[in-house]
Amino acid sequence: MNEDRPSPWEQAPERRKRLGHKRAERLARRAEYWGTRLEAARQVGPDAVASLTFDRARSDFDRLSEQRRERAYAALTQAVDAVREAHAE
């Protein structure tokens, strides 16, 4: 056997991109996707923005565990109440 080169199981796998970099790219693509959809909804009107925002929140909540989902709903409710109070006439 060739003693110069270590066997494959003795070498760590070489990744083309680090996992953190892949995750950052995925999050950036996702943010760009929602940003373009939100901009298009703004052109349509406030009802379209509200509908899109609700759809986005619901899709994110569906991925959470039950306990985290309840905390997220509570946080969303507080945020909506804060916006309502800030813009009350």
Side-chain angles (χ1 to χ4, degrees), residues 7-28:
S7 57
W9 54 85
E10 293 174 346
Q11 296 177 347
E14 293 182 20
R15 298 184 190 272
R16 286 178 290 204
K17 291 184 182 178
R18 293 181 175 219
L19 295 179
H21 187 69
K22 279 184 164 181
R23 183 172 187 264
E25 286 180 345
R26 181 178 51 85
L27 291 175

Side-chain angles (χ1 to χ4, degrees), residues 4 22 24 76 85:
D4 299 348
K22 279 184 164 181
L76 181 62
E85 291 172 5

Side-chain angles (χ1 to χ4, degrees), residues 1-64:
M1 278 235 168
N2 189 355
E3 296 296 326
D4 299 348
R5 217 169 64 189
S7 57
W9 54 85
E10 293 174 346
Q11 296 177 347
E14 293 182 20
R15 298 184 190 272
R16 286 178 290 204
K17 291 184 182 178
R18 293 181 175 219
L19 295 179
H21 187 69
K22 279 184 164 181
R23 183 172 187 264
E25 286 180 345
R26 181 178 51 85
L27 291 175
R29 282 192 309 271
R30 194 167 166 211
E32 182 182 2
Y33 168 77
W34 283 109
T36 56
R37 288 194 64 192
L38 190 59
E39 187 57 38
R42 283 187 181 129
Q43 299 298 322
V44 174
D47 289 339
V49 173
S51 177
L52 179 68
T53 304
F54 177 77
D55 289 345
R56 182 179 180 188
R58 187 177 57 193
S59 69
D60 287 341
F61 286 169
D62 289 344
R63 295 185 201 125
L64 298 175

